[in-house]
Amino acid sequence: GAVVSQHPSRVICKSGTSVKIECRSLDFQATTMFWYRQFPKQSLMLMATSNEGSKATYEQGVEKDKFLINHASLTLSTLTVTSAHPEDSSFYICSARDLSREGYNEQFFGPGTRLTVL
Amino acid sequence: GQNIDQPTEMTATEGAIVQINCTYQTSGFNGLFWYQQHAGEAPTFLSYNVLDGLEEKGRFSSFLSRSKGYSYLLLKELQMKDSASYLCAVMDSNYQLIWGAGTKLIIKP
């Protein structure tokens, strides 16, 4: 159980275009999802916490107008990278907590999306 | 500030034992996680410690001392497939994960 999927797994786009990444919890409801970015040979950097039905909470230094997050249902959160530039090229990973498991704080990770902006 | 420290890289021999240490300073504590991450892939869960002591799970064990702000991941009977980065993460009082930079483990035949 506790499977998280991401789509697409890999995307290449031109500079200036927008890219949407979907994160789905397949067999549990996730009121909270997390979006991370990871550059090569670096650790995960939390970008934002996505709460179902409310605005996302962005980490310091992350532009909320550039990285649009929508958590419209208990199983789906989307991250849209608007007007992407080459420096946005990175590995984007989402995770979700299964709050039905009381006292169990594990985050379940999606497989990640490799974004390359040309 | 919040800080997680772990070695950048370690090398071990196939069949041997290796211990990866993690020290932390965080605002509150709601558990410590170890994740394994192969290159180009998302992290996968290995262990979760919230009480002091040793948790054993097959070839992998994880230890926690909350008073010392210290944990280690112990890998036994190393296999080549264990070559990966091992990430230590602490859940703080806001239930956010604070991540270490990861330890790249290289296994040699």
Side-chain angles (χ1 to χ4, degrees):
Chain A
V3 178
V4 177
S5 70
Q6 263 183 262
H7 178 79
S9 59
R10 190 178 295 267
V11 59
I12 301 172
C13 69
K14 293 181 178 180
S15 184
T17 60
S18 295
V19 175
K20 180 187 283 188
I21 303 170
E22 292 186 350
C23 177
R24 293 181 185 273
S25 57
L26 297 186
D27 52 1
F28 67 99
Q29 293 184 331
T31 55
T32 303
M33 290 183 172
F34 304 88
W35 285 98
Y36 293 89
R37 180 168 52 182
Q38 186 176 35
F39 292 106
K41 299 184 179 180
Q42 294 186 24
S43 190
L44 298 167
M45 297 290 294
L46 179 65
M47 299 175 66
T49 302
S50 168
N51 299 297
E52 186 267 336
S54 64
K55 291 182 179 180
T57 303
Y58 289 83
E59 294 300 300
Q60 198 169 11
V62 178
E63 300 174 58
K64 61 181 180 181
D65 295 330
K66 179 171 180 62
F67 299 99
L68 302 178
I69 291 173
N70 187 322
H71 194 155
S73 77
L74 287 171
T75 59
L76 173 64
S77 176
T78 60
L79 168 68
T80 301
V81 183
T82 62
S83 187
H85 289 99
E87 57 265 31
D88 298 324
S89 298
S90 186
F91 192 43
Y92 291 86
I93 310 172
C94 73
S95 70
R97 287 177 61 203
D98 182 357
L99 294 179
S100 68
R101 303 188 186 195
E102 274 192 39
Y104 194 74
N105 292 320
E106 181 185 347
Q107 287 187 20
F108 300 95
F109 284 86
T113 298
R114 176 76 58 191
L115 171 63
T116 303
V117 184
L118 302 177
Chain B
Q2 309 204 91
N3 195 48
I4 311 284
D5 284 318
Q6 51 181 131
T8 304
E9 186 174 297
M10 299 182 71
T11 302
T13 305
E14 190 177 14
I17 299 173
V18 71
Q19 178 174 310
I20 303 174
N21 295 325
C22 171
T23 58
Y24 63 90
Q25 289 178 310
T26 56
S27 304
F29 181 82
N30 278 302
L32 185 144
F33 296 80
W34 284 96
Y35 284 85
Q36 180 191 60
Q37 186 178 27
H38 285 99
E41 298 180 12
T44 55
F45 172 80
L46 289 178
S47 67
Y48 172 63
N49 293 69
V50 67
L51 299 176
D52 289 349
L54 186 69
E55 295 274 348
E56 297 187 74
K57 193 185 291 185
R59 293 190 299 115
F60 293 3
S61 302
S62 56
F63 171 83
L64 174 67
S65 169
R66 288 172 296 171
S67 62
K68 295 182 179 178
Y70 167 70
S71 172
Y72 67 73
L73 180 69
L74 190 72
L75 292 78
K76 303 176 185 176
E77 302 170 19
L78 286 170
Q79 301 174 10
M80 296 304 293
K81 67 178 181 179
D82 297 330
S83 292
S85 287
Y86 291 86
L87 308 176
C88 172
V90 174
M91 186 164 280
D92 68 9
S93 56
N94 294 320
Y95 292 93
Q96 278 201 0
L97 279 179
I98 311 301
W99 293 87
T103 299
K104 183 179 180 180
L105 178 62
I106 299 169
I107 310 295
K108 294 186 175 179

